[in-house]
Structures are given as structure tokens and as C-alpha cells.
């Protein structure tokens, strides 16, 4: 739906957001709100914005640039910031924890094969399934974190959350039904279980879809973080994660296909598939860690309102609210 207002250059991804209002401030303006110096944390309240920090000499303008969000007025209020932040953290960290639990299973299987150890983490299969479901529960925070999110963004996030239901069932089938009963290291298997590979492949496809579906609203939340959106930390983490899951799907498909080739080709393709599977496992784990770290970095941008310049120096229009500014 086209909007008559010019689109903001804010990478907010929500259509129809207008340009930030120009914030002209007189050079003699004094800081009305509390503002600790960006370098030494000295309280700068009451000082001229054109001056320097009396403690360390850092220009006060530099501190203002570091904390003021020029889009503060355009950003939507998050009605339940604590719940939204909790959901975001549970989504990201449960997903990373799932990967680490699977690593525990695989490494103990490897140790059984190579070192002859007998340890098997009996708690791991059910824990991985529970963490998968928990991650999906947390993801519901991304469906509608605030008002004025386009319908297709919300629909995509809803689809992403629903995707966790078949994913948890497939994980149960893979970890509890198959892995906990065979206890064998699949990567050494000359004749891999075709149904297990098929489940793996479906899990990978689901994870690609879930990641792409949740990315839209995750980006909406990322855009609230001054640090993340100005490109200092943003690394398109969710695209990289979706690609990593996709690499795993290719590995699974190669191993599945290797069953229908002649023996020479079967070995080459099967081994390539195994290498790609292991590479994907590493990339997915790194990707999930990146998402978890970014989610943690975003917590302040979600828990507190963005800080507008007018809240720090007052407004000539005299229409501003008289609330306490908070640091971004
Ligand atoms: Zn200072």
C-alpha cells in the first residue's frame, strides 16, 4: 500500500514512516535532562551543549551524538517491553542451547566410536526437544512487538512461530525416537538411515523457512537499536543463519542421493555430504550464537524508550512532554 508521506531513510523496514523532524537546537542551549559523559560518566546536566566535559574535555556534542536517536519520535512504543525482551532472549538463547545439546550428543557418540567410552547424555534428547519448543514460544514475541507493523510482517512471523510445532515433532522423532535408541555416530555410517536423513533434511528446510519468516520483525526490533542499525554491529545475522541451515540441507540431500548411485559415486557423494553436514553444523552453531549475542545487545533498545534530542535540551515549540529522559 503506497504512502503519501516520504519514506524514511531509517532502515526500519516499516513502510510509511516519515522523515525525522528536523531538530534545530540553538548553540546556547543547556542540557536539561540527565546525561552522563560518554567517556568518563561525569553528569553533564545544566551545561551548554557547545561546551566540553569539565572532567575529561570530551565535547558534549560527541556525547549527545552517541546517545540521541534522531528517529526517537518515529519509533513506535513497545507496549510490553519486558515481555517482548523476555521472548526475544528466550527465542535466541533456547535455539543456541538446542544446538549445544545436540553437540553434546554427537560428541559423546563420537567418543563412543573412537575412544570406546560408554557415556551417553540420556537427558539430552528430551532437553533438545523442550528447548526447541521453548524457542518457538519465545518467538511469539516477534509476531507483534508494537503497533503499525504491516500485515505481511505479522503473517510471516506467525508462520515462523507455527513452524516450530512441526520442528519440535521432527526433533522428537530424530533425537528421542531414533538417536537415543541407536546411540551410533551417524557420520561414520556406510549405510546411513534414509528415514533419519529425510527427517534431518526436513528439519533443515523448516529452519530456513522459520529464520526467513522471523527475520522481518526481528529487523524491525534491530532498527530500534542505535548501535545495531548504524552498521557498527549489524552483520545480517539471520540471513547468514538461514544460509547455514541451507548448507545443511544440501549435505543431507547429497547423502540421501548417494544411496541411488553406483558404489564409486555413492562413496564420493556420500563423503561430500558428510563434510557439508559437519560444516553446516559449525556454521549453524556460530550463526545461532551471533543471533543470541545480537538479541542480548538489543535488550536496552527494547526495554527503554529511544532518547530524543528535544528531551535533552528542551524544545522551542514548547509542546514537549515533561518526562524524565532516559539514556538510550
Ligand atoms: Zn567526561
Amino acid at each position: 500500500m503506497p504512502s503519501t508521506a516520504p519514506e524514511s531513510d531509517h532502515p526500519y523496514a516499516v513502510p510509511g514512516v516519515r522523515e525525522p523532524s528536523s531538530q534545530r537546537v540553538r548553540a546556547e542551549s543547556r542540557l536539561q535532562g540527565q546525561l552522563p559523559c560518554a567517556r568518563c560518566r561525569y553528569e553533564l546536566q545544566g551545561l551548554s551543549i557547545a561546551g566540553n566535559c569539565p572532567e575529561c574535555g570530551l565535547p558534549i556534542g560527541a556525547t549527545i551524538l552517541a546517545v540521541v536517536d534522531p528517529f526517537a519520535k518515529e519509533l513506535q512504543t513497545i507496549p510490553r517491553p519486558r515481555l517482548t525482551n523476555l521472548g526475544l532472549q528466550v527465542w535466541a538463547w533456547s535455539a543456541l542451547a538446542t544446538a549445544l545439546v545436540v553437540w553434546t550428543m554427537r560428541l559423546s557418540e563420537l567418543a563412543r566410536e573412537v575412544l570406546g567410552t560408554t557415556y551417553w547424555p540420556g537427558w539430552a534428547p528430551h532437553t533438545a526437544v523442550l528447548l526447541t519448543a521453548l524457542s518457538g514460544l519465545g518467538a511469539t514475541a516477534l509476531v507483534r512487538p508494537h503497533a503499525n507493523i504491516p500485515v505481511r510482517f505479522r503473517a510471516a512471523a506467525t508462520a515462523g512461530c507455527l513452524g516450530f510445532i512441526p520442528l519440535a515433532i521432527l526433533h522428537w522423532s530424530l533425537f528421542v525416537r531414533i538417536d537415543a535408541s541407536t546411540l551410533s555416530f551417524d557420520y561414520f555410517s556406510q549405510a546411513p538411515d534414509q528415514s533419519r536423513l529425510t527427517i534431518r533434511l526436513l528439519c533443515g528446510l523448516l529452519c530456513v523457512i522459520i529464520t526467513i519468516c522471523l527475520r522481518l520483525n526481528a529487523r524491525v526490533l534491530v532498527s530500534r537499536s542505535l548501535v545495531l542499525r548504524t552498521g557498527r554491529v549489524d552483520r545480517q545475522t539471520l540471513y547468514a543463519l538461514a544460509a547455514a541451515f541451507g548448507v545443511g540441507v544440501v549435505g543431507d540431500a547429497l547423502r540421501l542421493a548417494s544411496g541411488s548411485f553406483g558404489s564409486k559415486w555413492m562413496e564420493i557423494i556420500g563423503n561430500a555430504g558428510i563434510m557439508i553436514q559437519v560444516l553446516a553444523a559449525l556454521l549453524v552453531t556460530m550463526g545461532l550464537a551471533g543471533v543470541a549475542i545480537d538479541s542480548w545487545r538489543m535488550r536496552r533498545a527494547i526495554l527503554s524508550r529511544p532518547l530524543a534530542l528535544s528531551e535533552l535540551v528542551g524544545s522551542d515549540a514548547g509542546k514537549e512532554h515533561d518526562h524524565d529522559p532516559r539514556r538510550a
Side-chain angles (χ1 to χ4, degrees), residues 225-237:
S225 164
L226 197 61
V227 180
L228 286 172
R229 90 167 171 250
T230 47
R232 275 172 273 173
V233 226
D234 190 3
R235 297 153 297 166
Q236 290 288 356
T237 321

Side-chain angles (χ1 to χ4, degrees), residues 25-35 43-52 54 60 64 308-316 325:
V25 175
R26 290 168 308 196
E28 68 270 24
S29 294
R30 290 182 180 278
L31 283 170
Q32 295 177 357
Q34 290 182 353
L35 182 70
E43 180 51 58
L44 303 170
Q45 190 169 24
L47 298 172
S48 162
I49 62 161
N52 298 327
I60 290 172
I64 290 174
L309 184 58
S310 57
E311 295 174 64
L312 273 181
V313 297
S315 167
D316 295 353

Side-chain angles (χ1 to χ4, degrees), residues 28-303:
E28 68 270 24
S29 294
R30 290 182 180 278
L31 283 170
Q32 295 177 357
Q34 290 182 353
L35 182 70
C37 170
R39 184 189 285 163
C40 71
R41 318 309 296 167
Y42 179 83
E43 180 51 58
L44 303 170
Q45 190 169 24
L47 298 172
S48 162
I49 62 161
N52 298 327
C53 170
E55 282 291 314
C56 71
L58 184 75
I60 290 172
T63 296
I64 290 174
L65 277 179
V67 299
V68 161
D69 190 332
F71 291 91
K73 303 285 184 200
E74 280 72 26
L75 292 177
Q76 296 281 333
T77 305
I78 295 179
R80 289 183 294 275
R82 283 170 192 275
L83 196 63
T84 302
N85 180 56
L86 180 70
L88 185 73
Q89 305 304 332
V90 166
W91 163 61
W93 291 95
S94 299
L96 177 61
T98 306
L100 296 178
V101 170
V102 174
W103 275 106
T104 311
M105 284 192 270
R106 298 296 166 257
L107 291 176
S108 61
E109 286 160 7
L110 181 64
R112 286 170 74 99
E113 301 267 346
V114 176
L115 306 171
T117 55
T118 54
Y119 176 72
W120 164 256
W123 51 270
H126 284 99
T127 306
V129 176
L130 279 176
L131 285 168
T132 304
L134 197 60
S135 181
L137 196 64
T140 56
L142 289 169
V143 171
R144 193 179 180 274
H146 57 66
N148 288 339
I149 289 179
V151 174
R152 67 185 182 92
F153 281 40
R154 281 184 278 148
T158 306
C161 292
L162 291 176
F164 277 92
I165 296 172
L167 183 65
I169 294 169
L170 287 172
H171 274 182
W172 176 83
S173 188
L174 188 65
F175 302 137
V176 178
R177 199 172 57 82
I178 298 177
D179 289 353
S181 59
T182 59
L183 302 189
S184 69
F185 191 60
D186 167 75
Y187 297 105
F188 285 171
S189 174
Q190 287 302 309
D193 181 346
Q194 297 285 303
S195 67
R196 184 182 185 279
L197 276 177
T198 307
I199 294 171
R200 261 192 65 113
L201 189 141
L202 290 174
C203 286
L205 279 179
L206 267 173
C207 287
V208 171
I209 294 167
I210 289 171
T211 308
I212 290 174
C213 284
L214 293 177
R215 180 181 170 272
L216 293 171
N217 276 352
R219 297 284 302 163
V220 169
L221 287 179
V222 163
S223 74
R224 305 181 72 84
S225 164
L226 197 61
V227 180
L228 286 172
R229 90 167 171 250
T230 47
R232 275 172 273 173
V233 226
D234 190 3
R235 297 153 297 166
Q236 290 288 356
T237 321
L238 286 171
Y239 261 154
L241 179 62
F245 282 124
V247 171
V249 170
V250 171
D252 294 338
L254 282 179
R255 286 191 78 191
L256 269 175
S258 72
S260 54
F261 284 82
S263 59
K264 189 189 107 190
W265 281 104
M266 182 174 135
E267 201 178 326
I268 295 172
I269 293 173
N271 286 338
I274 291 175
M275 282 190 285
I276 292 172
Q277 281 179 328
V278 174
L279 174 71
L282 290 168
L283 291 176
V284 163
T285 309
M286 280 164 24
L288 290 171
V291 173
I293 291 168
D294 278 1
S295 298
W296 186 246
R297 285 190 175 125
M298 278 160 62
R299 72 194 184 284
R300 253 184 234 128
I302 291 167
L303 288 173

